[in-house]
Amino acid sequence: MKIAVVGATGLVGTEILKVLAERNFPVTEIIPVASEKSIGKQVEFKGKQFTVVGYEDAIKMKPAVAIFSAGGSTSLAVAPLFAEAGIPVIDNSSAWRMDPTKKLVVPEVNANVITAEDKIIANPNCSTIQMVVVMKPLHDKYKIKRVVVSTYQSVTGTGKAAVDQLFAERVGDDSVKKVYPHKIDLNVLPHIDVFLDNGYTKEEMKMVNETKKIMGDDNIAVTATTVRIPTVGGHSEAVNIEFENDFDLEEVRKILSETEGVIVQDDVKNFVYPMPINSHGKDEVFVGRIRRDESQANTLNLWVVADNLRKGAATNAVQIAEYMLKANLL
């Protein structure tokens, strides 16, 4: 089975290759695809070298599926070319997420919406993915009315240049190009993506709109504040969920501990709770600090952590491909 990875030389593209290898996806040939400046470079996969090709050559090679992580403008321009050639695209950018004709998929939540007709499938925003994985089983049991989420997001969410900025600032090097409007080392920026007319950032509104689409329920009210912090790898979220029905805390822990893709780390007496540093390289979503909101009825507080390059991007995309393979859609 030939698999094309579009944007193979980037942070997420590199992670997609790693995840495909680790999860033993049945790949016979990797087709690494990138922009003109990277054509001809070598990419390693399972000990073999593969040459980076351009978009047109990749389509001619007829991969079974193309996993895109090359930015929104590239996806808008190139994904339809693959789709027209009958090659399903799993797209990591924001380009297609809110397109009403495209499915937005987190496999543990709504993989069943994918059909043979879907040739472009959108991978949600990293911060949305980890939240809905935890929300879904609780919504099924108690029915969610409202979610208030505050995120604490790693610089890797911005890309390699942001990681370079952080480490340059740490050693007092001013020569590195700045990708943030302010210093990030020893600082916190309540600003991810661009500001919109309503005063929210695009990242915050992604969480609002994508959550409703993935959960298939426009009645869930969501409000978000997204924050960039000087960590390298791993997004954290404080999530406050109001339900229509009351819950039992032990039952909540049991439901979450039995949920596919979720690991409960909730032993505060021994200082056990999820931390981004422990999520590195992991595919699961970690949840802890599970407690009742004592200020309001039927309301729960959670702390949710995941590796944003893995479950927040690469792993989720590969899991979509795994589902499609299992459902005979590839």
Side-chain angles (χ1 to χ4, degrees), residues 286-306:
F286 300 88
V287 60
R289 298 298 319 279
I290 301 167
R291 63 209 189 277
R292 192 175 282 277
D293 178 346
E294 295 183 346
S295 72
Q296 183 164 268
N298 304 349
T299 304
L300 183 71
N301 280 310
L302 303 167
W303 178 250
V304 179
V305 174

Side-chain angles (χ1 to χ4, degrees), residues 7-226:
T9 55
L11 263 186
V12 175
T14 305
E15 208 65 36
I16 289 167
L17 292 168
K18 205 187 290 182
V19 173
L20 284 166
E22 283 177 20
R23 294 176 73 90
N24 286 315
F25 195 85
V27 179
T28 54
E29 184 185 344
I30 280 288
I31 304 171
V33 190
S35 60
E36 239 171 84
K37 65 179 183 199
S38 295
I39 291 173
K41 283 185 180 173
Q42 294 291 298
V43 165
E44 189 184 318
F45 181 76
K46 285 193 167 180
K48 289 184 189 169
Q49 296 293 322
F50 294 89
T51 304
V52 174
V53 299
Y55 310 122
E56 287 175 12
D57 286 339
I59 292 168
K60 284 177 194 159
M61 293 166 83
K62 294 193 165 29
V65 64
I67 304 177
F68 270 60
S69 188
S73 56
T74 299
S75 289
L76 285 171
V78 180
L81 304 179
F82 279 78
E84 282 158 21
I87 302 160
V89 169
I90 299 165
D91 183 53
N92 237 316
S93 78
S94 59
W96 306 99
R97 289 175 188 157
M98 294 315 297
D99 183 326
T101 67
K102 304 293 183 285
K103 306 289 170 55
L104 185 65
V105 175
V106 176
E108 297 92 336
V109 179
N110 67 335
N112 61 324
V113 300
I114 304 172
T115 68
E117 283 69 53
D118 294 311
K119 291 302 178 205
I120 298 177
I121 297 146
N123 209 37
N125 186 38
C126 47
S127 46
T128 308
I129 289 173
Q130 65 188 70
M131 184 171 77
V132 296
V133 168
V134 172
M135 281 174 60
K136 176 67 166 75
L138 300 179
H139 183 55
D140 289 347
K141 179 71 180 176
Y142 308 114
K143 197 153 177 54
I144 294 173
K145 280 173 68 176
R146 181 172 187 251
V147 178
V148 182
V149 56
S150 300
T151 73
Y152 306 77
Q153 295 179 225
S154 155
V155 293
T156 53
T158 311
K160 184 182 178 300
V163 179
D164 293 343
Q165 178 181 338
L166 171 63
F167 282 112
E169 288 173 352
R170 193 147 289 184
V171 296
D173 176 2
D174 286 335
S175 66
V176 172
K177 183 180 173 242
K178 304 276 190 290
V179 293
Y180 298 124
H182 302 282
K183 185 182 174 189
I184 185 63
D185 188 36
L186 299 176
N187 198 16
V188 163
L189 304 182
H191 169 196
I192 297 179
D193 213 322
V194 296
F195 282 99
L196 304 173
D197 290 342
N198 64 356
Y200 287 81
T201 63
K202 199 171 172 186
E203 182 87 355
E204 288 159 354
M205 293 314 298
K206 281 178 195 172
M207 293 195 77
V208 173
N209 297 322
E210 290 179 23
T211 297
K212 295 180 183 199
K213 183 171 178 178
I214 298 161
M215 299 289 288
D217 191 340
D218 282 339
N219 294 319
I220 298 174
V222 183
T223 188
T225 302
T226 59

Side-chain angles (χ1 to χ4, degrees), residues 194-309:
V194 296
F195 282 99
L196 304 173
D197 290 342
N198 64 356
Y200 287 81
T201 63
K202 199 171 172 186
E203 182 87 355
E204 288 159 354
M205 293 314 298
K206 281 178 195 172
M207 293 195 77
V208 173
N209 297 322
E210 290 179 23
T211 297
K212 295 180 183 199
K213 183 171 178 178
I214 298 161
M215 299 289 288
D217 191 340
D218 282 339
N219 294 319
I220 298 174
V222 183
T223 188
T225 302
T226 59
V227 179
R228 188 72 68 194
I229 63 170
T231 53
V232 180
H235 287 353
S236 307
E237 299 173 351
V239 186
N240 178 273
I241 306 174
E242 182 187 358
F243 299 103
E244 285 193 9
N245 304 300
D246 201 8
F247 56 87
D248 173 75
L249 274 180
E250 280 315 306
E251 186 179 45
V252 167
R253 288 190 181 92
K254 185 173 187 291
I255 289 168
L256 291 173
S257 64
E258 291 172 356
T259 297
E260 181 195 351
V262 172
I263 292 177
V264 174
Q265 296 179 326
D266 193 35
D267 178 8
V268 291
K269 288 193 177 111
N270 291 299
F271 311 127
V272 174
Y273 33 71
M275 294 183 291
I277 202 166
N278 295 332
S279 74
H280 291 182
K282 308 271 179 34
D283 290 335
E284 295 83 11
V285 175
F286 300 88
V287 60
R289 298 298 319 279
I290 301 167
R291 63 209 189 277
R292 192 175 282 277
D293 178 346
E294 295 183 346
S295 72
Q296 183 164 268
N298 304 349
T299 304
L300 183 71
N301 280 310
L302 303 167
W303 178 250
V304 179
V305 174
D307 183 328
N308 53 297
L309 295 183

